[in-house]
C-alpha cells in the first residue's frame, strides 16, 4: 500500500524568500504524485502533478516540484513567495490503476512581511 | 455549472446514531472519494469508488459505510461504531485515473 509523509508540520518564510516543502512517499513502483494547496476558507486546488517523463514539473502560481526516485521524494519549491502563498499544502500519492489516492498530513506555510 | 454538492454543510450526531452525508456530482465522473480532514492529520481516505456498484475501503474505513448505486451519488454513512466522528468530511471526484480531483465544499460533523 502506498503512503506519503510530509515531515514539516509548519514552515514560516519571509515574503520574497524561497520555499521548499518536503514530501516522501512509499510505494514499490513509480507512483503518481500531486501537490494540492488549501488556502484559508478555500477548497483544495491542484498545483501540479507527476506521472512520468521529465522529473522537474512546473505548476501553477510559480511552483515547481522535482521527483527523485532514489530518495522517494517529490519536494515542492517556489523561488520567491508572496503573502498570498500562506496556506496548507498537501502532497498526495496514487499507485496502481485502482484510483486510490492518499494524502499526507499537510504543511502549513506562514508568510511574514 | 458542473460541480460537486455536499449536504448538509453542518451536521450534528447524537450518541448511538447513524448519520448520512450526501455527495452528488454532475461532472459525469466515474471515480468518487470520501476523505476526513482533522487538524494536523491532513486528509485521510475513508472510501473510494471507481465505478457504479463498486467501492473500496480506504485507510480509515472502520465505522463508515458507503453505497454507489448511481454514478452521480456517493453517500457516506457514519455509523455509531465510529467513536470519534467529529471532523470535516470532503467528497471528491475525478473523470480519469489520477487526474485532478474536484472537491465539494465539505460537511462539518459534530457530536452532541
Amino acid at each position: 500500500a502506498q503512503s506519503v509523509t510530509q515531515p514539516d508540520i509548519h514552515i514560516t518564510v519571509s515574503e520574497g524568500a524561497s520555499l521548499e516543502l518536503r514530501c516522501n512517499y512509499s510505494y514499490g513502483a513509480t507512483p503518481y504524485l500531486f501537490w494540492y494547496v488549501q488556502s484559508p476558507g478555500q477548497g483544495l486546488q491542484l498545483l501540479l502533478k507527476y506521472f512520468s517523463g521529465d522529473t522537474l514539473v512546473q505548476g501553477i502560481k510559480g511552483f515547481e516540484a522535482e521527483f527523485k526516485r532514489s530518495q522517494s521524494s517529490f519536494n515542492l519549491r517556489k523561488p520567491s513567495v508572496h503573502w498570498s502563498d500562506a496556506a496548507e499544502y498537501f502532497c498526495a500519492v496514487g499507485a496502481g490503476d485502482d484510483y486510490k489516492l492518499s494524502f499526507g498530513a499537510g504543511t502549513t506555510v506562514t508568510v511574514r512581511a | 455549472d458542473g460541480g460537486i454538492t455536499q449536504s448538509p454543510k453542518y451536521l450534528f450526531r447524537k450518541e448511538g446514531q447513524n448519520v448520512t452525508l450526501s455527495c452528488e456530482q454532475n461532472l459525469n465522473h466515474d471515480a468518487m472519494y470520501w476523505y476526513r480532514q482533522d487538524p494536523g492529520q491532513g486528509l485521510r481516505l475513508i472510501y473510494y469508488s471507481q465505478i457504479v456498484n463498486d467501492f473500496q475501503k480506504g485507510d480509515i474505513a472502520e465505522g463508515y459505510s458507503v453505497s454507489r448505486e448511481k454514478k452521480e451519488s456517493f453517500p457516506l454513512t457514519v455509523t455509531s461504531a465510529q467513536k470519534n466522528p467529529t471532523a470535516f468530511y470532503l467528497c471528491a471526484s475525478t473523470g480519469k485515473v489520477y487526474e485532478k480531483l474536484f472537491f465539494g465544499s465539505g460537511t462539518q460533523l459534530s457530536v452532541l
Side-chain angles (χ1 to χ4, degrees), chain B residues 55 65-69 73-76:
Chain B
F55 49 82
S65 66
V66 293
S67 63
R68 187 84 188 276
E69 297 177 0
S73 178
F74 191 41
L76 173 73

Side-chain angles (χ1 to χ4, degrees), chain A residues 32 34 36 38 44 46 49 51 88 90 94-105, chain B residues 31 33 35 37 40-43 45 48 50 59 90 94-101 103:
Chain A
Y32 300 86
F34 307 81
Y36 282 82
Q38 187 177 36
L44 283 96
L46 177 66
K49 62 185 179 185
F51 286 2
E88 189 161 21
F90 296 96
D97 294 326
D98 73 344
Y99 283 82
K100 183 179 183 183
L101 187 64
S102 299
F103 283 75
Chain B
Y33 302 76
Y35 291 93
Q37 186 172 17
Q41 299 193 57
L43 281 72
L45 181 63
Y48 63 107
Q50 298 178 39
D59 301 314
L90 281 166
T94 185
K96 295 181 181 180
V97 63
Y98 302 129
E99 286 300 319
K100 180 177 74 171
L101 286 182
F103 286 87

